[in-house]
Amino acid sequence: MTEQTTFSRRTALAGAVAMPFVAAGAAPLRAQAAKQGAMVPKVNRIMLGDFEVTALMAGTATREDPHSIFGLNASDEEFAEAAEAANIPTDKAQFFFTPTLVNTGNELILFDTGLNPDGIVAAVEAAGYAPGDVSHVVITHMHGDHVGGLTGGDGPTFANAQHVTGQAEYDHWSGVANDTFTNKVEPLAEQFSFIGNGESVASGITSVMTPGHTPGHMSYMLESGGKQLMLIADLANHYVFSLAHPDWEVSFDTDKEAAAQTRRKTLDMLAADKIPFIGYHMPFPALGYAETRDDGFQYVPHSYQLML
């Protein structure tokens, strides 16, 4: 066997290995697909008895220096320890804005309206509804990220809806100088009706006064088919810093002591009774459970409990 023959066989073998990539009829090589970037789902729908409950992603944003927001009465070391234990950074936090649609079969009720009209309309439409389908808009409290979608350049976003809020909350903001209230809420004063603690928006939907974050902050208990779920709005604003440390002060809370007391009391009830909740600023889809842990609570995201 000559050197030339050996070389030819090696060349032929190499060619045979390469053949699947160049054989006739093989699919042509394609250009690399463009990256699409990170994505957050727009809706998450569950059934609660006969109620259809849909969490809406109306926006998400990164906030710098979360210790300037959460744990104002905690040291830098305590804050860093809590973040490290949860495998989250200390210099940034991700905020989510999650209104909720409840279809009772007779009413389509929207709880809070996000940051702006475009965002909430897109979210409602992603859920398969039109703004005109909404029969009630319920405002848990009147911070801008909850009432921002009420009105825009074309007037009321949900023109066919009855608007509902707590009497104490409305009275508070109507008595102070506040641009958000003046621009977003006051123009709809004639469309609003007012409720107090323990009153019904519709059958199976009961208001629960949870003050502290704002003077008239309201949560809502949903009950249908023997199942319960609580919409806690801004009772707890972070799945770690507000649950593991319910006594930590939050910059957004109007009355920080009252907010901490309300937070602990409500989370204790939810944990004891194993009631799921939707928290407006929890990581989307914002649905989970509170479990007692040490001197606080642990957030346990919903998996499939409400699917069964």
Side-chain angles (χ1 to χ4, degrees):
M1 182 181 294
T2 66
E3 184 66 24
Q4 180 64 40
T5 303
T6 303
F7 177 79
S8 297
R9 287 178 177 173
R10 288 176 180 171
T11 303
L13 180 60
V17 172
M19 280 180 65
F21 299 96
V22 298
L29 294 177
R30 296 180 180 178
Q32 184 176 5
K35 294 179 180 178
Q36 302 298 312
M39 183 179 72
V40 178
K42 296 298 183 183
V43 300
N44 183 68
R45 180 170 291 142
I46 59 167
M47 295 301 298
L48 185 80
D50 293 327
F51 288 179
E52 176 190 87
V53 180
T54 308
L56 306 175
M57 172 47 58
T60 183
T62 303
R63 296 286 185 257
E64 305 288 336
D65 190 16
H67 194 193
S68 68
I69 302 172
F70 303 103
L72 303 186
N73 53 339
S75 68
D76 290 342
E77 291 75 18
E78 289 172 320
F79 188 84
E81 182 180 350
E84 182 178 358
N87 197 31
I88 54 178
T90 58
D91 61 335
K92 295 179 182 179
Q94 194 70 18
F95 273 56
F96 302 84
F97 306 91
T98 313
T100 300
L101 267 176
V102 178
N103 190 335
T104 68
N106 296 313
E107 304 94 359
L108 182 64
I109 305 171
L110 174 65
F111 291 84
D112 292 329
T113 65
L115 295 154
N116 52 62
D118 289 345
I120 190 61
V121 167
V124 168
E125 290 177 345
Y129 298 104
D133 297 333
V134 176
S135 63
H136 296 72
V137 173
V138 179
I139 300 299
T140 62
H141 66 289
M142 295 185 178
H143 281 166
D145 56 333
H146 294 255
V147 301
L150 276 174
T151 60
D154 297 327
T157 307
F158 302 97
N160 297 335
Q162 177 183 348
H163 291 61
V164 182
T165 196
Q167 184 73 64
E169 183 74 0
Y170 189 93
D171 290 348
H172 167 76
W173 291 109
S174 64
V176 300
N178 182 270
D179 288 344
T180 297
F181 180 84
T182 299
N183 296 328
K184 292 291 183 176
V185 181
E186 202 167 43
L188 299 175
E190 296 300 320
Q191 281 75 48
F192 269 99
S193 60
F194 305 100
I195 60 174
N197 184 48
E199 297 184 1
S200 294
V201 175
S203 180
I205 302 178
T206 306
S207 62
V208 181
M209 185 71 80
T210 48
H213 182 66
T214 61
H217 182 277
M218 197 85 80
S219 300
Y220 289 86
M221 184 67 78
L222 312 181
E223 300 184 62
S224 179
K227 296 182 179 181
Q228 292 181 300
L229 183 149
M230 194 173 192
L231 307 179
I232 67 168
D234 282 15
L235 172 88
N237 284 332
H238 193 277
Y239 79 107
V240 174
F241 305 134
S242 295
L243 269 78
H245 303 278
D247 301 322
W248 276 8
E249 294 180 354
V250 180
S251 64
F252 301 130
D253 291 342
T254 303
D255 185 332
K256 294 173 176 51
E257 183 178 354
Q261 292 173 353
T262 300
R263 189 158 46 243
R264 182 173 285 278
K265 176 183 177 181
T266 307
L267 291 172
D268 188 59
M269 179 271 294
L270 292 173
D273 295 342
K274 300 185 183 299
I275 297 173
F277 67 91
I278 292 178
Y280 193 81
H281 295 295
M282 297 293 139
F284 195 80
L287 172 64
Y289 296 80
E291 291 184 354
T292 55
R293 181 176 181 179
D294 300 327
D295 189 41
F297 304 89
Q298 180 179 12
Y299 179 67
V300 181
H302 173 266
S303 56
Y304 55 74
Q305 295 92 338
L306 294 175
M307 294 177 66
L308 302 178

